[in-house]
Amino acid sequence: MADTAPAYDVIIIGGGPGGYNAAIRAGQLGLKVACVEMRETLGGTCLNVGCMPSKALLHASELFEMAGGEFAKIGIEATPTLNLDQMQSAKADSVDQLTKGIEFLFKKNKVDWIKGRGRIVGPGQVEVTGADGGQTTYATKDIVIATGSEPTPLPGVAFEAGKVIDSTGALSLDKVPEHLIVVGAGVIGLELGSVWRRLGAKVTVVEFLDAVGAGMDAEVAPAFQRALAKQGMTFKMGTKVTGSKVEADGVELTIEPAAGGASETIRGDVVLVAIGRRPYTEGLGLETVGVEADKRGFIANQHLKVADGVWVIGDVTHGPMLAHKAEEDAVAAIELIAGLPGHVDYALVPSVIYTSPEVAWVGKTEAQLKEAGVDYKKGKFPFAANSRAKINHETEGFVKVLAHAVTDRVLGVHIFGPQAGEMIHEACVLMAFGGASEDMARICHAHPTRSEAVRQAAMGVEGWTMQA
């Protein structure tokens, strides 16, 4: 029989971006809160083996490539030597600082961290299994499910350490592969493929669909793919993987056209499977509170609530599987629990691919507007005509602004170019306030900056771009 511990106002299962932000917000609002996390560190996938370490390697590999090429063009002579051990060590140090920062915030906001694997065992009851196998049941008024997601496996392609790997394995390789095959041309595959290409690997991307970056605007996607191909990536689009064979010196993949046709084989020394992520909902005891996940593992919700005293946030429920979306869910759910008006506008969650150049977008694509029968206007401006981009030798890409044909309200913004992930947020703010393209066009932007390209694209909606 499990022990019963003192009651909490809220227990959160999962310590990732959704879970830890929910816990901190609960503490700020004066709720007695605990966060159950089975890792040895807080931060979930994002801080430990996802967003943060991948950005560390993206940044380091970009500098390495610049030192070996771009530096010489601007008068800096350098011959870089890769020290992969040190690069991995620097990444680990950054992750360590971030996870310890979450621990500090927990202490500051009086959040209890319960270490172990959490499981719902009934209304208001969470059982935690510790590392030693011991179990304790905690009573609470509300439960927040924030267990996140895990890499989706590919049928017929079994994971094998160092040979067939997921994103976690791709972040910790101890040597640069000679030939890395990436299965999946989404965010994770393209970002990690970029890292290892810059560090010296030959990279082949195999994608079932005909376009990279699922959800990306149809005008941006081909331009983005061309840029990556020009950098050295090889793409096999409209192609499915049907099997794999691991050998001593590498991996052989069997592939064939997605539409059907003759199969062929390709060989690499490492295969990264990056076909997406699936909710981590198995074994949570959902049935004990009358909740059921769908066949893909997602838990549907009504304003983040799934049953009396049970809430769900982040990757385990519908919407973009993004850390910042989980953070918004977290704050909204806790504020609703506290009797405040929590809300998330999923139409304004930006997406970013942190390659070089970056791609970022928010709102509707042209295809979505056409499908919905919405009359729209478009403004477009190339970075090749932006003064700062020219000076910095980063002229690839463009900005596109989509606005309603009658009201001029901005409906979508798509940026392919330098620092796109930073620049997208002025579009998010404008759209949150129902702003028009003319509003953006008439807001003074500092010169010379890359963000002027966003303004110029907005000016282009009415045909009065003027910067060169």
Side-chain angles (χ1 to χ4, degrees), residues 120-405:
I120 302 169
V121 291
Q125 300 289 316
V126 176
E127 179 186 85
V128 180
T129 303
D132 61 358
Q135 294 179 330
T136 304
T137 299
Y138 298 84
T140 182
K141 296 175 185 175
D142 286 275
I143 299 168
V144 177
I145 300 169
T147 46
S149 60
E150 61 184 350
T152 302
L154 180 62
V157 181
F159 289 117
E160 183 169 324
K163 293 290 183 69
V164 181
I165 59 176
D166 60 13
S167 55
T168 300
L171 289 168
S172 56
L173 292 173
D174 57 7
K175 65 178 181 179
V176 179
E178 290 184 21
H179 183 195
L180 172 66
I181 301 174
V182 179
V183 183
V187 176
I188 296 170
L190 296 178
E191 288 185 358
L192 293 177
S194 292
V195 166
W196 295 107
R197 184 205 59 76
R198 290 176 196 149
L199 297 180
K202 173 186 175 183
V203 175
T204 301
V205 180
V206 180
E207 170 57 47
F208 183 83
L209 302 175
D210 292 324
V212 301
M216 192 181 294
D217 185 85
E219 189 173 4
V220 176
F224 179 41
Q225 184 182 334
R226 285 194 297 271
L228 294 176
K230 189 164 61 176
Q231 292 172 9
M233 279 193 187
T234 299
F235 288 88
K236 289 183 175 292
M237 306 300 291
T239 302
K240 65 179 178 181
V241 176
T242 58
S244 66
K245 183 179 179 182
V246 176
E247 299 174 337
D249 59 347
V251 184
E252 181 179 274
L253 287 186
T254 304
I255 60 174
E256 64 182 49
S263 64
E264 62 175 302
T265 59
I266 55 173
R267 290 184 58 84
D269 45 332
V270 177
V271 171
L272 164 60
V273 177
I275 60 171
R277 298 182 65 83
R278 62 184 182 185
Y280 194 88
T281 50
E282 274 193 41
L284 278 179
L286 300 176
E287 68 283 354
T288 67
V289 286
V291 175
E292 186 177 347
D294 66 19
K295 62 182 181 181
R296 296 172 59 205
F298 290 99
I299 305 171
N301 72 84
Q302 290 292 327
H303 300 292
L304 305 173
K305 194 171 187 178
V306 295
D308 282 345
V310 184
W311 307 75
V312 62
I313 63 175
D315 286 3
V316 291
T317 192
H318 296 287
M321 297 179 84
L322 299 168
H324 45 284
K325 178 264 192 184
E327 293 174 357
E328 297 303 304
D329 282 354
V331 172
I334 294 300
E335 290 180 347
L336 288 167
I337 288 170
L340 300 173
H343 173 70
V344 182
D345 187 344
Y346 296 110
L348 294 180
V349 176
S351 295
V352 184
I353 300 182
Y354 297 91
T355 49
S356 182
E358 293 180 347
V359 182
W361 66 94
V362 65
K364 301 296 186 182
T365 65
E366 278 199 73
Q368 289 170 334
L369 293 176
K370 289 175 181 176
E371 185 178 350
V374 177
D375 286 336
Y376 66 92
K377 303 174 288 185
K378 176 172 70 173
K380 187 177 173 183
F381 191 79
F383 280 101
N386 174 266
S387 301
R388 184 65 182 273
K390 282 183 179 178
I391 292 297
N392 286 10
H393 299 176
E394 48 189 21
T395 55
E396 188 109 46
F398 56 86
V399 180
K400 181 163 74 169
V401 174
L402 303 171
H404 194 280

Side-chain angles (χ1 to χ4, degrees), residues 57-102:
L57 293 183
L58 281 159
H59 175 64
S61 64
E62 188 173 343
L63 292 176
F64 176 76
E65 185 172 59
M66 289 176 66
E70 184 66 21
F71 278 15
K73 296 177 184 177
I74 57 175
I76 303 172
E77 299 294 338
T79 305
T81 300
L82 177 63
N83 183 338
L84 186 56
D85 287 344
Q86 177 58 33
M87 189 177 289
Q88 294 284 18
S89 176
K91 176 203 72 177
D93 287 345
S94 297
V95 168
D96 183 56
Q97 291 176 40
L98 289 168
T99 57
K100 285 179 177 174
I102 303 302

